[in-house]
Amino acid sequence: MTLLRKPASVKGTLLVLLLPAGIALMGLAWLVHGVLLDRMSRDFVETRLKDEVAFLEHQIRDSDGKLDTLQTGDYFQEVFHHAFAIHSPSRSIISPDSWAPVLMSLIESGQDGTHRVQDSGKDDTPADILAYRKSFRVGDTPIVVIVSEDLGALKRSQAELHAWTAIVSILLILLLVAVIWFGINLSMRPVVALRATLKRLQDGKVSRIHVEAPEEFRPLVQQLNQLLDSLDQRLERSRDALANLSHSVKTPIAAVRQILEDTSRPLSDELRLEMTARLNDIDKQLEAEMRRSRFAGPQVGKSAYPMKQARDLVWMLGRLYTERSFELSSSLPEDARWPIEEHDLNEIMGNLLDNAGKWSEHCVELSLSQDSGLLKMKVVDDGPGVTDTEIGRLGQRGLRLDEQTPGHGLGLAIVREIVERYGGTLRFSAANERGLRVMVDIPLAVSRATY
């Protein structure tokens, strides 16, 4: 069992499993062959003995029971190739003569049918004999006919055939080992090609894995390529964030430096306020870029508990927006798990609930469900809503429809980026009476394939 849990080698594991199974099956087949061969041979000999007894009976009846008129001797031995005995009250015919003691004992036994005599104790008779005895009457004359065969010679032929069967079985086992080894090497070729491609990927010669893999390896290749896409996108996002941050804080830092380096001007209250404003700009930009950098898409092997995270967010935002009521509705079990990174799910639900809390008047409702292979989230508020022309602009980075409301215009953009990262969709629509409805659908299969 340890070998099955921790295989040191696929080839070794397959050989350890298949080779003993093949040897056991060959051995079982060899044993069954021996049993069936012995049974078939005995049935065949017994049938022949019965036929020859019937032939002798026919000859005796044609001669009206007169044994003297029968052509015995070499004729019967050449035709039958068996020992036989014909007995009547007046005469007994036994051929060959060396079998007389055994055949006479069968004549005297008085029991018809098949008899097997082993180790008769006579020097000239075989050690194992199969005989068939039949008694009948021709007129008033009782006749007994016995035909027998030496099973020793038959067993020697069977043993030779059984030995050749064993030799053929051993050769088949060796052939089976060769076929298994060839099949394993042939099946493992895609792994060799994949390893070579990974080496080329490490050397920078290729950017993605392109291998003609069999069906069993295609999910692995697809997941590796998706992981590479994820890493490239994270790297590109980090570079963009660093460039944006560098460009954004360059001007405020230069302004602050200019004020500090100008010793000819006193540090008045107006300058202090100006420096404070510049530093506030830097702080805001740092906050925005940090929020953006924290969004990194799905991480391998991570999953989230949507019900627990939703309850925590509803409670936290309920404390933040005390005038609003945050409600959660869902048919999911408490221990339900979604193949989404916990931080990403928090970003999606947190930003949607925070945005709804800013605009709602009384109530915000969060709904979670899973149906037809889709992970669904819906947030509805009772705020003033958004016009049809403005709905199409929601989710753009930096867009703020109301400058009086606090924020940076990044929340819905971050949600859109995360949802698209998981292959999902983000939709906005007007609520039934008033307010905004935001719906997020993430395909379950795509989110699982990301891992």
Side-chain angles (χ1 to χ4, degrees), residues 27-44:
L28 179 62
W30 184 74
L31 292 176
V32 172
H33 171 266
V35 173
L36 292 179
L37 182 63
D38 182 70
R39 181 175 178 180
M40 292 174 61
S41 300
R42 178 170 176 174
D43 291 344
F44 175 74

Side-chain angles (χ1 to χ4, degrees), residues 62 101 153 202 256 280 326 447:
D62 286 346
Q202 184 180 8
V256 173
N280 285 336
F326 288 82
S447 60

Side-chain angles (χ1 to χ4, degrees), residues 147-177:
V147 179
S148 62
E149 182 171 340
D150 181 7
L151 292 182
L154 182 62
K155 284 188 174 181
R156 287 190 292 271
S157 299
Q158 291 179 0
E160 183 179 358
L161 178 60
H162 207 38
W164 278 107
T165 304
I167 294 174
V168 172
S169 299
I170 294 173
L171 294 177
L172 288 177
I173 291 175
L174 296 178
L175 179 61
L176 177 63
V177 172

Side-chain angles (χ1 to χ4, degrees), residues 317-328:
L317 291 170
R319 305 287 79 75
L320 182 61
Y321 300 99
T322 55
E323 301 84 1
R324 282 81 165 175
S325 172
F326 288 82
E327 299 179 0
L328 171 63

Side-chain angles (χ1 to χ4, degrees), residues 309-318 326-328 353 366:
Q309 293 179 229
R311 294 188 189 281
D312 293 342
L313 287 171
V314 167
W315 181 87
M316 181 180 66
L317 291 170
F326 288 82
E327 299 179 0
L328 171 63
L353 290 173
L366 169 63

